[in-house]
Amino acid sequence: MQNLIDAYSWVNISYLLKGLWVTIEVSIIAVILSFVIGSIFGVIRYNNIPVVSKVVGFIIDVIRNLPLLLIIFFTYFGLPNFGIHMSIMTSAVSALTIFESMMIAEIVRAGIVGVPLGQTEGALANGMTRSQAMWHIILPQAYKKMIPPLVSQFISLIKDTSLATIIVLPELMYHAQIIYGQNNNYIIPMFIAVAIMYFIVNYALSLVGRWFDKKLK
């Protein structure tokens, strides 16, 4: 019992919270960037633009089938060989953004496919260009259908930040490792604390997603 009390001392909890903040910070930046890039790639792939769509599709397929850990390694250890040097934080955000963007691109493409073709035809018949129809008619409807898979992908992204421990990103899991590295009796308590923190953040995100889903129906 004493080990449990010591493990959950305010010093340790506050240290974990600092790591949690880094996790949230990295996640927010990566979510925003991956959503924007993924949307662009998804639209390009859907529109079948000569050559461009095939190149984008190839990039999406390649990255989606690579381990995220490999991408993290490459951004931090590989890119310096090409003269590109990034901080740990920037490397983690870049790797997560690259990987998640390709996942979201497929979600966006599938969402657009799910919108009835008549919506596009109606917009074109009313004098809209294809770009205007996509922006004002198709995407708003598609995004409504995408909310559940997008939220699931964003939750995966938050959990995937723990992989950045390998490049010593000071996020939640890394801070937990520092704490139980000082005392092996803290291993289980730290795992429990980390699990609770991840659950709170991800469950809160899922609730927000459900609220948006109901609000937009």
Side-chain angles (χ1 to χ4, degrees):
M1 180 60 70
Q2 187 60 43
N3 284 330
L4 192 63
I5 295 173
D6 292 341
Y8 293 138
S9 67
W10 173 242
V11 173
N12 288 343
I13 294 299
S14 62
Y15 190 64
L16 284 179
L17 290 174
K18 289 179 181 179
L20 178 62
W21 172 246
V22 173
T23 293
I24 293 173
E25 187 178 5
V26 168
S27 298
I28 289 174
I29 297 172
V31 162
I32 294 171
L33 292 176
S34 61
F35 179 73
V36 173
I37 297 171
S39 294
I40 294 171
F41 274 44
V43 170
I44 291 173
R45 188 168 194 182
Y46 170 79
N47 282 326
N48 290 321
I49 302 170
V51 181
V52 177
S53 290
K54 289 186 177 180
V55 171
V56 168
F58 176 75
I59 294 171
I60 291 172
D61 289 338
V62 169
I63 294 178
R64 285 178 68 239
N65 288 285
L66 292 177
L68 175 55
L69 191 61
L70 178 62
I71 298 174
I72 293 173
F73 266 117
F74 181 76
T75 56
Y76 189 67
F77 297 110
L79 289 181
N81 293 316
F82 299 95
I84 303 174
H85 299 271
M86 294 187 289
S87 66
I88 293 173
M89 182 84 160
T90 304
S91 295
V93 170
S94 299
L96 288 166
T97 299
I98 291 169
F99 185 77
E100 297 299 331
S101 293
M102 303 306 108
M103 298 297 186
I104 291 173
E106 280 300 285
I107 293 174
V108 170
R109 185 189 64 80
I112 295 173
V113 170
V115 177
L117 188 59
Q119 296 290 315
T120 302
E121 294 173 346
L124 295 176
N126 280 287
M128 286 187 174
T129 63
R130 287 194 173 275
S131 297
Q132 290 173 331
M134 179 62 69
W135 180 254
H136 296 289
I137 305 297
I138 308 305
L139 280 178
Q141 296 182 65
Y143 280 132
K144 290 180 182 179
K145 298 180 179 181
M146 290 181 226
I147 290 176
L150 282 175
V151 170
S152 294
Q153 195 59 48
F154 293 151
I155 288 174
S156 294
L157 186 154
I158 293 172
K159 292 185 290 186
D160 286 343
T161 57
S162 62
L163 294 175
T165 299
I166 201 70
I167 59 171
V168 202
L169 178 72
E171 45 74 61
L172 179 57
M173 197 63 202
Y174 179 77
H175 278 215
Q177 290 176 350
I178 295 296
I179 294 172
Y180 69 66
Q182 298 172 1
N183 189 329
N184 289 334
N185 293 321
Y186 294 172
I187 293 178
I188 299 302
M190 286 302 103
F191 282 166
I192 293 172
V194 167
I196 291 172
M197 289 181 181
Y198 272 122
F199 173 78
I200 291 172
V201 172
N202 290 326
Y203 188 65
L205 180 58
S206 67
L207 290 178
V208 171
R210 290 177 194 172
W211 181 83
F212 271 109
D213 196 23
K214 292 180 181 178
K215 195 75 173 177
L216 295 175
K217 284 183 177 179

